[in-house]
Coordinates of all heavy atoms in Angstrom, one line a residue:
A1074 N 33.1 4.4 29.0 CA 34.1 3.3 28.9 C 34.7 3.0 30.2 O 35.0 4.0 31.0 CB 35.2 3.7 27.9
A1075 N 34.9 1.8 30.5 CA 35.5 1.4 31.8 C 37.0 1.8 31.9 O 37.5 2.1 33.0 CB 35.3 -0.1 32.1
N1076 N 37.6 1.7 30.8 CA 39.1 2.0 30.8 C 39.3 3.2 29.9 O 38.9 3.3 28.8 CB 39.9 0.8 30.2 CG 39.6 -0.5 31.0 OD1 39.8 -0.5 32.2 ND2 39.1 -1.5 30.3
R1077 N 40.1 4.1 30.4 CA 40.6 5.3 29.7 C 42.1 5.2 29.5 O 42.8 5.1 30.5 CB 40.1 6.6 30.4 CG 38.6 6.7 30.4 CD 38.2 8.0 30.9 NE 36.7 8.0 30.9 CZ 36.1 9.1 31.2 NH1 36.7 10.1 31.7 NH2 34.8 9.1 31.1
V1078 N 42.5 5.3 28.3 CA 43.9 5.1 28.0 C 44.5 6.3 27.3 O 43.9 6.7 26.3 CB 44.2 3.8 27.1 CG1 45.6 3.6 26.9 CG2 43.5 2.6 27.8
F1079 N 45.6 6.9 27.8 CA 46.3 7.9 27.1 C 47.6 7.4 26.6 O 48.4 6.8 27.4 CB 46.5 9.1 28.0 CG 47.3 10.2 27.4 CD1 46.7 11.1 26.5 CD2 48.6 10.4 27.7 CE1 47.4 12.1 25.9 CE2 49.4 11.4 27.1 CZ 48.8 12.3 26.2
M1080 N 47.9 7.6 25.4 CA 49.2 7.1 24.8 C 49.9 8.3 24.1 O 49.2 9.0 23.3 CB 49.0 6.0 23.8 CG 48.3 4.8 24.5 SD 47.9 3.5 23.3 CE 49.5 2.7 23.4
L1081 N 51.1 8.5 24.4 CA 51.9 9.6 23.8 C 53.1 9.0 23.1 O 53.9 8.2 23.7 CB 52.4 10.6 24.9 CG 53.4 11.6 24.5 CD1 52.8 12.6 23.4 CD2 53.8 12.4 25.7
F1082 N 53.3 9.2 21.8 CA 54.4 8.7 21.0 C 55.2 9.9 20.5 O 54.7 11.0 20.4 CB 53.9 8.0 19.8 CG 53.1 6.7 20.2 CD1 51.7 6.8 20.4 CD2 53.7 5.5 20.4 CE1 50.9 5.7 20.7 CE2 52.9 4.4 20.7 CZ 51.6 4.5 20.9
G1083 N 56.5 9.7 20.2 CA 57.3 10.7 19.6 C 57.8 11.8 20.4 O 58.1 12.9 20.0
E1084 N 58.0 11.5 21.7 CA 58.6 12.5 22.6 C 60.0 12.9 22.2 O 60.4 14.0 22.2 CB 58.6 12.0 24.1 CG 57.3 11.9 24.7 CD 57.3 11.2 26.0 OE1 57.6 10.0 26.1 OE2 57.2 12.0 27.0
H1085 N 60.8 11.8 21.9 CA 62.2 12.1 21.4 C 62.2 12.0 19.9 O 61.9 11.0 19.3 CB 63.1 11.0 22.0 CG 63.3 11.1 23.4 ND1 63.5 10.0 24.2 CD2 63.2 12.2 24.3 CE1 63.6 10.4 25.5 NE2 63.4 11.7 25.5
A1086 N 62.5 13.1 19.3 CA 62.4 13.2 17.8 C 63.3 12.2 17.1 O 63.0 11.7 16.0 CB 62.8 14.6 17.4
R1087 N 64.4 11.9 17.7 CA 65.4 11.0 17.0 C 64.9 9.5 17.1 O 65.5 8.7 16.4 CB 66.8 11.1 17.7 CG 66.8 10.6 19.1 CD 68.2 10.7 19.7 NE 68.2 10.1 21.0 CZ 69.2 10.3 21.9 NH1 70.2 11.1 21.5 NH2 69.2 9.7 23.0
E1088 N 64.0 9.2 17.9 CA 63.4 7.8 18.0 C 62.3 7.7 17.0 O 61.1 7.8 17.3 CB 63.0 7.5 19.4 CG 64.2 7.6 20.4 CD 63.8 7.5 21.8 OE1 62.6 7.5 22.2 OE2 64.8 7.5 22.7
L1089 N 62.6 7.4 15.8 CA 61.7 7.5 14.6 C 60.6 6.4 14.7 O 59.5 6.6 14.2 CB 62.5 7.4 13.3 CG 63.5 8.5 13.1 CD1 64.2 8.3 11.8 CD2 62.9 9.9 13.2
I1090 N 60.9 5.3 15.3 CA 59.9 4.2 15.4 C 58.7 4.5 16.2 O 57.7 3.9 16.0 CB 60.6 2.9 15.7 CG1 59.8 1.7 15.4 CG2 61.0 2.9 17.2 CD1 59.6 1.5 14.0
S1091 N 58.9 5.3 17.2 CA 57.8 5.6 18.2 C 56.5 6.0 17.5 O 55.4 5.4 17.7 CB 58.3 6.5 19.3 OG 57.2 6.9 20.1
P1092 N 56.5 7.1 16.7 CA 55.3 7.5 16.1 C 54.8 6.5 15.1 O 53.5 6.3 14.9 CB 55.7 8.8 15.3 CG 56.8 9.4 16.1 CD 57.6 8.1 16.5
E1093 N 55.7 5.8 14.4 CA 55.2 4.7 13.5 C 54.5 3.6 14.3 O 53.5 3.0 13.8 CB 56.4 4.1 12.8 CG 57.2 5.2 11.9 CD 56.3 5.8 10.9 OE1 55.4 5.2 10.3 OE2 56.4 7.1 10.7
S1094 N 55.0 3.3 15.5 CA 54.3 2.3 16.3 C 52.9 2.8 16.7 O 52.0 2.0 16.7 CB 55.1 2.0 17.6 OG 56.4 1.5 17.2
G1095 N 52.8 4.1 17.0 CA 51.5 4.7 17.4 C 50.5 4.6 16.2 O 49.4 4.3 16.4
L1096 N 51.0 4.9 15.0 CA 50.2 4.8 13.8 C 49.7 3.3 13.6 O 48.6 3.1 13.2 CB 50.9 5.3 12.6 CG 51.1 6.8 12.5 CD1 52.0 7.2 11.3 CD2 49.8 7.5 12.4
H1097 N 50.6 2.4 13.8 CA 50.3 1.0 13.6 C 49.2 0.6 14.7 O 48.2 -0.1 14.4 CB 51.5 0.1 13.8 CG 51.2 -1.4 13.5 ND1 51.0 -1.9 12.3 CD2 51.0 -2.4 14.4 CE1 50.7 -3.2 12.4 NE2 50.7 -3.5 13.7
F1098 N 49.3 1.1 15.9 CA 48.4 0.8 16.9 C 47.0 1.3 16.5 O 46.0 0.7 16.7 CB 48.8 1.4 18.3 CG 47.9 1.0 19.4 CD1 47.9 -0.2 20.0 CD2 47.1 2.0 19.9 CE1 47.1 -0.5 21.0 CE2 46.2 1.7 21.0 CZ 46.2 0.4 21.5
I1099 N 47.0 2.5 16.0 CA 45.7 3.1 15.6 C 45.1 2.3 14.4 O 43.9 2.0 14.4 CB 45.9 4.6 15.1 CG1 46.2 5.5 16.4 CG2 44.7 5.1 14.4 CD1 46.6 6.9 16.0
R1100 N 45.9 1.9 13.5 CA 45.4 1.0 12.4 C 44.8 -0.3 13.0 O 43.8 -0.8 12.5 CB 46.6 0.7 11.4 CG 46.9 1.9 10.6 CD 48.0 1.5 9.5 NE 48.5 2.7 8.9 CZ 49.7 3.2 9.2 NH1 50.5 2.6 10.0 NH2 50.2 4.3 8.6
T1101 N 45.5 -0.8 14.0 CA 44.9 -2.0 14.6 C 43.6 -1.7 15.3 O 42.6 -2.5 15.1 CB 45.9 -2.5 15.7 OG1 47.1 -2.9 15.0 CG2 45.4 -3.7 16.4
L1102 N 43.4 -0.6 16.0 CA 42.2 -0.3 16.6 C 41.1 -0.1 15.5 O 39.9 -0.3 15.8 CB 42.3 1.0 17.4 CG 43.1 0.9 18.7 CD1 43.2 2.2 19.4 CD2 42.5 -0.2 19.7
C1103 N 41.5 0.4 14.4 CA 40.5 0.6 13.3 C 40.2 -0.6 12.4 O 39.5 -0.6 11.4 CB 41.1 1.7 12.4 SG 41.1 3.3 13.2
G1104 N 40.8 -1.8 12.8 CA 40.6 -3.0 12.2 C 41.4 -3.3 10.9 O 41.0 -4.1 10.1
E1105 N 42.5 -2.6 10.8 CA 43.3 -2.7 9.6 C 44.5 -3.6 9.7 O 45.4 -3.6 8.8 CB 43.8 -1.3 9.1 CG 42.6 -0.4 8.8 CD 43.1 1.0 8.4 OE1 44.3 1.2 8.2 OE2 42.2 1.9 8.3
T1106 N 44.6 -4.4 10.8 CA 45.7 -5.4 10.9 C 45.2 -6.7 11.3 O 44.0 -6.9 11.5 CB 46.7 -4.9 12.0 OG1 46.1 -5.1 13.3 CG2 47.1 -3.5 11.8
D1107 N 46.0 -7.7 11.4 CA 45.6 -9.1 11.7 C 45.1 -9.2 13.2 O 44.7 -10.2 13.6 CB 46.7 -10.1 11.4 CG 48.0 -9.8 12.1 OD1 48.2 -8.7 12.6 OD2 48.8 -10.7 12.2
L1108 N 45.3 -8.1 14.0 CA 44.8 -8.2 15.3 C 43.4 -7.6 15.5 O 43.0 -7.2 16.6 CB 45.8 -7.4 16.2 CG 47.2 -8.0 16.3 CD1 48.2 -7.1 17.1 CD2 47.2 -9.4 16.9
S1109 N 42.7 -7.4 14.4 CA 41.4 -6.8 14.5 C 40.4 -7.4 15.5 O 39.7 -6.7 16.2 CB 40.8 -6.8 13.1 OG 41.5 -6.0 12.2
P1110 N 40.4 -8.8 15.6 CA 39.4 -9.4 16.6 C 39.8 -8.9 18.0 O 38.9 -8.6 18.8 CB 39.6 -10.9 16.4 CG 40.1 -11.0 15.0 CD 41.0 -9.8 14.8
Q1111 N 41.0 -8.9 18.3 CA 41.4 -8.5 19.7 C 41.1 -7.0 19.9 O 40.7 -6.6 21.0 CB 42.9 -8.7 20.0 CG 43.3 -10.2 20.0 CD 43.7 -10.8 18.7 OE1 43.3 -10.3 17.6 NE2 44.5 -11.8 18.7
A1112 N 41.3 -6.2 18.9 CA 41.0 -4.8 19.0 C 39.5 -4.5 19.2 O 39.2 -3.7 20.0 CB 41.5 -4.0 17.7
T1113 N 38.7 -5.3 18.5 CA 37.3 -5.2 18.7 C 36.9 -5.4 20.2 O 36.1 -4.7 20.8 CB 36.5 -6.1 17.8 OG1 36.8 -5.8 16.5 CG2 35.0 -6.0 18.0
D1114 N 37.5 -6.4 20.8 CA 37.2 -6.7 22.2 C 37.7 -5.6 23.1 O 37.0 -5.2 24.0 CB 37.9 -8.1 22.6 CG 37.2 -9.3 22.0 OD1 36.0 -9.2 21.6 OD2 37.9 -10.3 21.9
V1115 N 38.9 -5.1 22.8 CA 39.4 -4.0 23.7 C 38.5 -2.8 23.6 O 38.3 -2.1 24.6 CB 40.9 -3.7 23.2 CG1 41.4 -2.4 23.9 CG2 41.8 -4.8 23.6
L1116 N 38.1 -2.5 22.4 CA 37.3 -1.3 22.2 C 35.9 -1.3 22.9 O 35.2 -0.3 23.0 CB 37.1 -0.9 20.7 CG 38.4 -0.4 20.1 CD1 38.3 -0.4 18.6 CD2 38.8 0.9 20.6
K1117 N 35.5 -2.5 23.3 CA 34.2 -2.6 23.9 C 34.1 -1.9 25.3 O 33.1 -1.4 25.7 CB 33.8 -4.1 24.1 CG 33.5 -4.8 22.9 CD 33.2 -6.3 23.1 CE 32.9 -7.0 21.8 NZ 32.8 -8.5 22.0
D1118 N 35.2 -1.8 25.9 CA 35.2 -1.2 27.3 C 36.4 -0.3 27.5 O 36.8 0.0 28.6 CB 35.2 -2.2 28.4 CG 36.4 -3.2 28.4 OD1 37.2 -3.0 27.5 OD2 36.4 -4.0 29.3
S1119 N 37.0 0.2 26.4 CA 38.2 1.1 26.5 C 38.0 2.3 25.6 O 37.5 2.2 24.5 CB 39.5 0.4 26.2 OG 39.7 -0.7 27.0
E1120 N 38.5 3.5 26.1 CA 38.5 4.7 25.3 C 39.9 5.2 25.2 O 40.7 5.2 26.2 CB 37.7 5.7 26.1 CG 37.7 7.1 25.5 CD 36.9 8.1 26.3 OE1 35.7 7.8 26.6 OE2 37.5 9.1 26.8
F1121 N 40.4 5.5 24.0 CA 41.8 5.9 23.8 C 41.9 7.4 23.4 O 41.1 7.9 22.6 CB 42.4 5.1 22.7 CG 42.6 3.6 23.0 CD1 41.6 2.7 22.9 CD2 43.8 3.2 23.6 CE1 41.7 1.4 23.3 CE2 44.0 1.9 23.9 CZ 42.9 1.0 23.8
R1122 N 42.9 8.0 24.0 CA 43.4 9.3 23.5 C 44.8 9.1 23.1 O 45.6 8.7 24.0 CB 43.2 10.4 24.6 CG 41.8 10.6 24.9 CD 41.6 11.8 25.7 NE 40.2 11.9 26.0 CZ 39.4 13.0 25.7 NH1 39.9 14.0 25.1 NH2 38.1 13.0 26.0
I1123 N 45.1 9.4 21.9 CA 46.4 9.1 21.4 C 47.1 10.3 20.7 O 46.5 10.9 19.8 CB 46.4 7.9 20.3 CG1 45.7 6.7 21.0 CG2 47.7 7.6 19.7 CD1 45.4 5.6 20.0
V1124 N 48.3 10.6 21.1 CA 49.1 11.7 20.5 C 50.2 10.9 19.7 O 51.1 10.3 20.3 CB 49.7 12.6 21.5 CG1 50.6 13.6 20.8 CG2 48.6 13.3 22.3
V1125 N 50.1 11.0 18.4 CA 51.1 10.2 17.6 C 52.5 10.8 17.6 O 53.5 10.1 17.5 CB 50.5 10.0 16.2 CG1 51.5 9.3 15.3 CG2 49.2 9.3 16.2
N1126 N 52.5 12.1 17.6 CA 53.8 12.8 17.6 C 53.8 14.0 18.5 O 53.3 15.0 18.2 CB 54.2 13.3 16.1 CG 55.6 13.8 16.0 OD1 56.3 13.9 17.0 ND2 56.0 14.0 14.8
G1127 N 54.4 13.7 19.7 CA 54.5 14.8 20.7 C 55.5 15.8 20.6 O 55.7 16.7 21.4
N1128 N 56.3 15.7 19.5 CA 57.4 16.7 19.3 C 57.6 16.9 17.8 O 58.7 16.6 17.3 CB 58.7 16.1 20.0 CG 59.8 17.0 20.1 OD1 59.7 18.2 19.7 ND2 60.9 16.6 20.7
P1129 N 56.6 17.4 17.1 CA 56.7 17.4 15.7 C 57.8 18.4 15.1 O 58.4 18.1 14.1 CB 55.3 17.9 15.2 CG 54.7 18.6 16.4 CD 55.3 17.9 17.6
A1130 N 58.0 19.5 15.7 CA 59.0 20.4 15.2 C 60.4 19.8 15.2 O 61.2 19.9 14.3 CB 59.0 21.8 16.0
S1131 N 60.7 19.1 16.3 CA 62.0 18.5 16.4 C 62.1 17.3 15.5 O 63.2 17.0 15.0 CB 62.3 18.1 17.9 OG 62.5 19.3 18.6
R1132 N 61.0 16.6 15.3 CA 61.0 15.5 14.4 C 61.4 16.0 13.0 O 62.2 15.3 12.3 CB 59.6 14.8 14.4 CG 59.4 13.8 13.3 CD 60.2 12.5 13.4 NE 59.9 11.6 12.3 CZ 59.3 10.5 12.4 NH1 58.9 10.0 13.5 NH2 59.2 9.7 11.3
Q1133 N 60.9 17.1 12.6 CA 61.2 17.7 11.3 C 62.7 18.0 11.2 O 63.3 17.7 10.2 CB 60.4 18.9 11.1 CG 60.5 19.5 9.7 CD 59.6 20.7 9.4 OE1 59.1 21.3 10.4 NE2 59.3 21.0 8.2
R1134 N 63.3 18.5 12.3 CA 64.7 18.7 12.2 C 65.5 17.4 12.1 O 66.5 17.4 11.4 CB 65.2 19.5 13.5 CG 64.7 20.9 13.5 CD 65.3 21.7 14.6 NE 66.7 21.6 14.8 CZ 67.3 21.9 16.0 NH1 66.6 22.4 17.0 NH2 68.6 21.7 16.1
V1135 N 65.1 16.4 12.7 CA 65.7 15.1 12.6 C 65.6 14.6 11.1 O 66.6 14.1 10.6 CB 65.1 14.0 13.6 CG1 65.6 12.6 13.2 CG2 65.5 14.4 15.0
E1136 N 64.5 14.7 10.6 CA 64.3 14.3 9.2 C 65.2 15.1 8.2 O 65.5 14.7 7.1 CB 62.8 14.4 8.8 CG 62.0 13.4 9.5 CD 60.5 13.5 9.2 OE1 60.1 14.5 8.6 OE2 59.7 12.6 9.6
Q1137 N 65.6 16.3 8.6 CA 66.4 17.2 7.8 C 67.9 17.0 8.1 O 68.8 17.6 7.5 CB 66.0 18.6 8.0 CG 64.7 19.0 7.5 CD 64.2 20.3 7.9 OE1 64.8 21.0 8.8 NE2 63.1 20.8 7.4
G1138 N 68.2 16.0 9.0 CA 69.6 15.7 9.2 C 70.2 15.8 10.6 O 71.3 15.4 10.9
D1139 N 69.5 16.4 11.5 CA 69.9 16.6 12.9 C 69.6 15.4 13.7 O 68.8 15.3 14.6 CB 69.3 17.9 13.5 CG 70.0 18.3 14.8 OD1 70.9 17.6 15.3 OD2 69.5 19.3 15.4
F1140 N 70.3 14.3 13.4 CA 69.9 12.9 13.8 C 70.0 12.6 15.3 O 69.4 11.7 15.8 CB 70.7 11.9 13.1 CG 70.6 12.0 11.6 CD1 71.6 12.3 10.8 CD2 69.3 11.8 11.0 CE1 71.5 12.3 9.4 CE2 69.1 11.9 9.6 CZ 70.2 12.1 8.8
C1141 N 70.7 13.4 16.1 CA 70.9 13.1 17.5 C 70.0 14.0 18.4 O 70.1 13.9 19.6 CB 72.3 13.2 17.9 SG 73.4 12.0 17.2
L1142 N 69.1 14.8 17.8 CA 68.3 15.7 18.5 C 67.3 14.9 19.4 O 66.6 14.0 19.0 CB 67.5 16.6 17.6 CG 66.7 17.7 18.2 CD1 67.6 18.7 18.9 CD2 65.9 18.4 17.2
R1143 N 67.3 15.3 20.7 CA 66.5 14.6 21.7 C 65.4 15.5 22.3 O 64.4 15.1 22.7 CB 67.3 14.0 22.8 CG 66.6 13.3 23.8 CD 67.6 12.7 24.9 NE 66.9 12.2 26.0 CZ 66.7 10.9 26.2 NH1 67.1 10.0 25.3 NH2 66.1 10.5 27.3
V1144 N 65.7 16.8 22.3 CA 64.9 17.8 23.0 C 63.9 18.5 22.0 O 63.9 18.3 20.8 CB 65.8 18.9 23.6 CG1 66.7 18.3 24.6 CG2 66.6 19.6 22.5
N1145 N 63.0 19.2 22.6 CA 62.0 20.0 21.8 C 62.6 21.3 21.4 O 63.8 21.6 21.8 CB 60.7 20.2 22.6 CG 60.8 21.2 23.7 OD1 61.8 21.8 24.0 ND2 59.7 21.4 24.4
P1146 N 61.9 22.2 20.7 CA 62.5 23.4 20.2 C 63.0 24.4 21.3 O 63.8 25.2 21.1 CB 61.4 24.0 19.4 CG 60.6 22.9 18.8 CD 60.6 21.9 20.0
D1147 N 62.4 24.2 22.5 CA 62.8 25.0 23.7 C 64.0 24.4 24.5 O 64.3 24.9 25.5 CB 61.6 25.2 24.6 CG 60.5 26.0 23.9 OD1 60.8 27.0 23.2 OD2 59.3 25.7 24.2
G1148 N 64.5 23.3 24.0 CA 65.7 22.6 24.7 C 65.3 21.7 25.8 O 66.1 21.4 26.6
V1149 N 64.0 21.4 25.9 CA 63.5 20.5 27.0 C 63.4 19.1 26.5 O 62.9 18.8 25.5 CB 62.1 21.0 27.5 CG1 61.6 20.1 28.5 CG2 62.2 22.4 27.9
D1150 N 64.0 18.2 27.3 CA 63.9 16.7 27.1 C 62.5 16.3 27.6 O 62.3 16.3 28.8 CB 65.0 16.0 27.8 CG 64.9 14.5 27.6 OD1 63.8 13.9 27.3 OD2 65.9 13.8 27.6
L1151 N 61.6 16.1 26.8 CA 60.2 15.9 27.2 C 60.0 14.6 28.0 O 58.9 14.5 28.6 CB 59.3 15.8 25.9 CG 59.2 17.1 25.1 CD1 58.5 16.9 23.8 CD2 58.7 18.2 25.9
N1152 N 60.9 13.7 28.0 CA 60.8 12.5 28.8 C 61.4 12.6 30.2 O 61.2 11.8 31.0 CB 61.5 11.4 28.0 CG 61.1 10.0 28.6 OD1 60.0 9.8 29.0 ND2 62.1 9.1 28.6
R1153 N 62.2 13.7 30.4 CA 63.0 13.8 31.7 C 62.8 15.2 32.4 O 62.7 15.2 33.6 CB 64.4 13.6 31.4 CG 64.7 12.2 31.0 CD 66.2 12.0 31.0 NE 66.4 10.6 30.5 CZ 67.5 10.2 29.9 NH1 68.5 11.0 29.7 NH2 67.6 8.9 29.6
N1154 N 62.7 16.2 31.6 CA 62.7 17.6 32.2 C 61.3 18.3 32.1 O 61.2 19.3 31.4 CB 63.8 18.4 31.6 CG 65.1 17.8 31.7 OD1 65.6 17.2 30.7 ND2 65.7 17.9 32.8
W1155 N 60.4 17.7 32.6 CA 59.0 18.3 32.5 C 58.6 18.8 33.9 O 57.7 19.3 34.2 CB 58.0 17.4 31.9 CG 58.1 16.0 32.4 CD1 58.9 15.0 31.9 CD2 57.5 15.4 33.6 NE1 58.8 13.8 32.7 CE2 57.9 14.1 33.7 CE3 56.6 15.9 34.5 CZ2 57.4 13.3 34.7 CZ3 56.1 15.1 35.5 CH2 56.5 13.8 35.6

């Protein structure tokens, strides 16, 4: 593939829409949305590596009520302190 694309979603557990956006993007690449024709063209010369949820343990804590959690289980903000 001429283009190699890496996409990471869900770094911040409290940002719930990010992994959902990643799943929608995957559905599009698989031909399951109204953008299927465009996805077919993109896939002709692009290879994707996609991480849908880069912080699953913290996402689980958010779903259990810790709504402001931004960091991973080790206290690291994956978007800033890497």
